[in-house]
């Protein structure tokens, strides 16, 4: 059989582009840096959204929608913030056939406009915490776009909250980090992310602390999959978000923001894909079981439809492929490319023996299975393979992560994976030096793996890596 | 009790604005014509989305996502299309700190960019029909914005499909019109829409036929709640969307597009709202039953929580309001403003008699009900009141619609409601005359109420009205 994808070992970036095109996940858009998310890719995004939305709502936040266009003046109110975004802005100068009096910016994120409305909506301590989230598109002009990873427009959720105290804000930023982000990434997407604190240099523009979830991709590089920020009182002061306290005084609120995006689709591909295509963890997969009619005749179509119904009744997300006018081999290659967790192949020969063949995408194993046992076998495979994909990604991370003592060793180790090195051996100067060689500090951890409050804590570990 | 809203009879537009502000559904955004959809409004939109999405998927369409930015040149490829939109476009001239070589337009709709990709994805008749939908924001610069009804940015779904024949395209445009749009509007939102054909003058720019769902609002005006278009081969020719037929020739496809938007929120308010606020039909309501603790003490809190649990277990979307530090009267007024279908008020006095009070939002009736019977009473009220709201809206439409024989009578009748008049008594010249007096032809119907294929069919009825 002809090779469908460039092997990962030969050219990982090429493999990634090939896979996205051939699995029909996405295309480049007509304006440079934009993307078209095709149905196969969007269905996965919808599942990510549904799972994330449920977790965000469980944490008490409510969904709302804020405008795409932001007055230029808003962005300038918080100095660090405008500095962080100014090279990336898309600016609308004409509307309704006329030049605009004040140009408007297409949102790169909504801190400023949401800050404006929080100020209107918050009056007393009774209005706090105010916990908001929105699902939206944002625009950041990208010089080196790469589909799902860095695109000029992407889809995301952005949470924005206001609290009465720094402690409440910190606790909430961390609650989302762990209960929504880490939980979804580890337990649904199957990526064993490392959760830590960003250095000052890597911190979000305008934040006082940025927490991150970092995943290791199949080539040993890191991908930042979601961040949660404490914004201190920076935005509250710039937008006058204040409240009357119980004691009667007027206080500025403490705000947070947090986001995950269609970049998670890139992470999914690069963490789990193999040389035959995508592999989607069962809990995430829009189609968990793909029932294929190998060849018409001898009651095969009926048997396949019955298996589809049985799987559906058992709560499995299932699709039936009976397009027998397309060669079976081509359909099987497509199914592998799409990464459906389990295929159930129904052909006349196996069926004559009372069997269908259960094929697991994780390892390609093919098990002839009595028709009556197929539902049970599929359910077992789905449960097992959720764990298998996670464990393979974890084994990849562990085998490519080395403990080192010096900056030089860390930079060298980052050529093939991640380095764990004492933060005291890196420091601000070392970080700049690493950056000069394409290596970044992904995050800082305590010795016990927990997330520090500040980079000034003693005995922190820094994770250094190349990153997407 | 002080009046909360301007009465509808006094000033309907003012009542509408008051209601949106006081029920905290939405705010005006900082850029003129944009809107902020607050959690109470967005939760209703999420329910509309979920119900619509399920119907669109049941009709076989798949969700995808296409870019926000469209090259200016695309819009120019279909002449009527660019003419229809040119006064409304928002144009990005700067990106990444530099002027752009070609300015890009913020999508007013995605026909052109989706046409481009359909051309890439369609090769043979086997690829047809191609049935796509996207949930997105779009921008049309509005000179006279009104929240939810006409905003410069709004949220919508836009479906785009390609078919092998005109008949297939027509059948699909009508399938969505009836099975997704009409069904949702009538059976979930409770608005008895009239479904018909737009005249040439009112047709979508670039379409060969536009079908519409028209609802009557509380003041007798019409609101267009959704449209479905046959685009003929106009876009297929402009973007070269073609396929190899079974016979081996190369043919242009036939395309459709169809959309509904956050405007449905405006329709909901104006069709069902009363002088006390919004009334949300039970099937649509994010909160169907609102359990309120009237006053603390005597086991009231526990009884209310138990009722909440019982309602939830019975499949009711329920919320508990135990904010007894806020006066009960204020909370009750807020609940009326928000339009929760049923309130269950639990207070010490009624509870001592074994009762809670079930309050129906449709008519304000208050029924002391034995605690053990509350769940049954709420379920019965939800079922009845879904129908009550629909029937009240239908009665409003019927009482304000008159059958007339001449254009002059029709224009006069449109001052207070809708006119049904023979299309032959109006015609193209009469339509222009009506427009000059602020009256439009909302749609054309056959005598039996069904949707015509063309405005040239004999014996058509025209619906004339003032409209939002």
């Amino acid at each position: 059989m002809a090779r469908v994808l460039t092997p990962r070992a030969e050219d990982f970036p090429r493999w990634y582009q090939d896979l996205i095109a051939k699995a029909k996940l996405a295309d480049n858009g007509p304006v440079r840096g934009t993307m078209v998310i095709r149905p196969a890719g969007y269905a996965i995004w919808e599942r990510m959204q549904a799972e994330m939305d449920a977790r965000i709502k469980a944490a008490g936040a409510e969904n709302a929608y804020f405008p795409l266009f932001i007055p230029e003046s808003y962005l300038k109110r918080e100095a660090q913030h405008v500095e962080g975004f100014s090279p990336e802005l898309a600016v609308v100068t004409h509307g309704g056939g006329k030049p605009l009096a004040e140009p408007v910016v297409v949102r790169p994120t909504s801190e400023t406009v949401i800050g404006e409305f929080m100020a209107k909506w918050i009056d007393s301590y009774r209005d706090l915490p105010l916990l908001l989230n929105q699902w939206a598109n944002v625009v950041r002009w990208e010089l080196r776009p790469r589909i799902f990873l860095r695109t000029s427009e992407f889809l995301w959720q952005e949470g924005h909250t206001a609290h009465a105290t720094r402690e409440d804000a910190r606790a909430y930023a961390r609650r989302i980090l762990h209960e929504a982000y880490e939980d979804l990434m580890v337990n649904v997407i199957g990526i064993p992310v490392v959760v830590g604190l960003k250095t000052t240099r890597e911190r979000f523009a305008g934040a006082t602390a940025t927490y991150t979830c970092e995943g290791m991709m199949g080539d040993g590089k890191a991908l930042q999959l979601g961040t949660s920020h404490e914004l201190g009182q920076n935005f509250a002061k710039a937008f006058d978000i204040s409240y009357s306290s119980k004691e009667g005084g007027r206080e500025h609120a403490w705000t947070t923001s947090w986001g995950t995006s269609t970049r998670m689709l890139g992470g999914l591909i690069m963490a789990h894909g193999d040389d035959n295509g995508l592999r989607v963890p069962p809990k995430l997969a829009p189609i968990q079981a793909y029932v294929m009619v190998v060849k018409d005749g001898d009651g095969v179509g009926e048997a396949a439809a019955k298996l589809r119904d049985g799987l559906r009744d058992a709560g499995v997300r299932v699709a039936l492929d009976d397009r027998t006018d397309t060669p079976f081999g081509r359909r099987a290659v497509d199914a592998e490319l799409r990464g459906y967790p389990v295929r159930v192949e129904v052909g006349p020969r196996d069926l004559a023996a009372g069997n269908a063949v259960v094929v697991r995408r994780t390892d390609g194993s093919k098990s002839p299975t009595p028709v009556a046992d197929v539902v049970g076998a599929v359910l077992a495979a789905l449960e097992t393979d959720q764990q298998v994909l996670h464990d393979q990604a974890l084994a990849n991370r562990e085998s490519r992560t080395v403990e080192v003592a010096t900056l030089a060793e860390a930079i060298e180790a980052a050529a093939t994976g991640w380095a764990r090195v004492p933060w005291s051996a890196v420091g601000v100067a070392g970080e700049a030096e690493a950056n000069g060689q394409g290596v970044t500090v992904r995050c800082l951890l305590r010795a016990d793996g927990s997330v520090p409050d500040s980079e000034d804590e003693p005995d922190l570990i820094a994770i250094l890596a190349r990153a997407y």
Side-chain angles (χ1 to χ4, degrees), chain A:
Chain A
M1 192 157 61
R3 215 171 65 185
V4 175
L5 301 175
T6 305
R8 285 173 301 163
E10 192 178 310
D11 186 342
F12 195 84
R14 176 81 185 276
W15 164 84
Y16 178 75
Q17 296 291 354
D18 274 9
L19 191 160
I20 288 171
K22 297 208 169 146
K24 301 186 178 178
L25 300 177
D27 271 353
N28 289 305
V31 173
R32 191 164 178 284
T34 64
M35 66 178 159
V36 173
I37 308 178
R38 301 184 67 170
Y42 199 81
I44 300 173
W45 174 241
E46 280 186 317
R47 291 268 318 139
M48 285 178 176
Q49 278 193 298
E51 292 277 350
M52 184 68 88
D53 197 63
R55 284 166 176 75
I56 288 170
K57 283 175 175 154
E62 294 185 295
N63 285 342
Y65 187 77
F66 293 84
L68 176 71
F69 294 145
I70 301 177
E72 254 191 341
S73 56
Y74 276 43
L75 280 170
K76 293 179 180 156
R77 279 207 234 167
E78 211 289 318
Q80 280 185 277
H81 194 66
V82 68
E83 217 173 273
F85 284 108
S86 56
E88 302 178 349
L89 299 179
V91 185
V92 176
T93 55
H94 289 70
K98 290 183 193 156
L100 299 178
E102 184 189 4
V104 298
V105 167
V106 181
R107 63 183 163 216
T109 171
S110 302
E111 264 81 11
T112 61
V113 68
I114 295 183
E116 175 78 9
F117 283 89
M118 282 182 164
K120 284 186 191 166
W121 298 339
I122 293 169
D123 176 38
S124 105
Y125 69 92
R126 285 195 187 84
D127 300 320
L128 295 177
L130 179 60
L131 311 174
L132 299 171
N133 179 59
Q134 82 172 346
W135 290 95
N137 54 346
V138 286
V139 169
R140 299 175 190 177
W141 217 263
E142 278 296 343
L143 295 178
R144 284 172 298 277
R146 194 174 302 189
I147 222 155
F148 293 137
L149 302 179
R150 291 187 178 277
T151 45
S152 289
E153 181 196 11
F154 54 92
L155 305 183
W156 78 345
Q157 62 65 219
E158 50 178 317
H160 299 270
T161 69
H163 305 259
T165 65
R166 177 202 293 263
E167 292 65 37
D168 277 2
R170 170 159 300 178
Y172 198 79
R174 285 170 173 251
R175 180 176 177 186
I176 288 291
L177 181 77
H178 292 295
E179 293 180 17
Y181 293 180
E182 183 181 10
D183 184 59
L184 180 81
M185 291 169 195
V186 175
N187 296 318
V188 178
I189 310 183
I191 302 178
V193 289
V194 167
V195 182
L197 177 73
K198 287 284 188 192
T199 61
T200 302
R201 191 183 179 102
E202 298 286 334
R203 194 186 282 165
F204 175 67
T208 57
T210 290
Y211 304 106
T212 181
C213 297
E214 300 282 327
M216 182 187 277
M217 303 296 101
D219 62 351
K221 287 193 189 174
L223 181 69
Q224 175 182 306
L225 285 160
T227 51
S228 182
H229 316 289
E230 292 180 47
L231 305 173
Q233 293 180 309
N234 294 347
F235 283 86
K237 286 178 178 163
F239 288 88
D240 197 24
I241 307 170
S242 62
Y243 67 96
S244 318
S245 68
K246 271 185 193 161
E247 296 71 37
R250 199 82 196 163
E251 308 280 349
H252 280 111
W254 298 79
T255 68
T256 81
S257 71
W258 26 279
T260 55
S261 75
T262 35
R263 166 175 272 211
M264 288 191 290
L265 286 164
L268 168 74
I269 297 167
M270 293 198 293
H272 296 313
D274 67 16
D275 286 348
N276 296 321
L278 186 58
R279 298 188 303 171
V280 187
K283 281 192 196 168
L284 179 64
I287 294 175
Q288 298 174 307
Y290 193 64
V291 178
M292 302 182 72
V293 175
V294 176
K295 218 174 86 170
D296 269 340
D298 301 324
V300 169
E302 296 76 3
K306 226 169 159 181
L307 279 169
R308 187 258 325 264
D309 295 346
L311 285 163
R312 193 168 48 200
D313 293 347
V316 175
R317 293 187 290 273
V318 60
L320 175 64
D321 175 3
D322 55 4
R323 297 168 301 151
T324 46
D325 54 346
T326 303
F328 175 73
R330 208 165 106 193
R331 291 184 289 133
V333 164
D334 274 350
E336 293 223 304
L337 274 166
R338 297 282 182 101
Y340 306 130
V342 177
R343 299 203 304 273
V344 180
E345 301 177 352
V346 189
R349 209 166 353 158
D350 288 309
L351 195 63
N355 287 339
V357 179
V358 174
V359 188
R360 287 166 59 187
R361 181 64 184 84
T362 50
D363 60 4
S365 65
K366 301 188 180 204
S367 310
T369 305
V371 168
D373 300 344
V374 164
V375 171
V378 169
L379 290 172
L382 294 175
E383 189 162 335
T384 305
D385 288 346
Q386 179 73 32
Q387 195 62 42
V388 164
L389 287 177
H390 173 275
D391 292 349
Q392 287 181 359
L394 183 60
N396 178 55
R397 191 185 94 196
E398 286 179 345
S399 74
R400 287 176 182 265
T401 300
V402 294
E403 302 265 353
V404 297
T406 67
L407 177 65
E409 290 171 305
I411 291 173
E412 196 196 324
T416 53
W418 293 4
R420 288 169 54 92
V421 59
W423 173 229
S424 59
V426 181
V428 175
E431 186 177 10
E433 191 185 328
N435 286 184
Q437 301 186 48
V439 174
T440 46
V441 179
R442 303 312 306 161
C443 62
L444 303 176
L445 306 173
R446 293 195 184 118
D448 65 1
S450 66
V451 181
D453 286 326
S454 138
E455 68 190 59
D456 301 327
E457 288 185 19
D459 304 323
L460 295 182
I461 308 291
I463 308 266
L464 269 66
R466 287 171 200 279
Y468 284 96

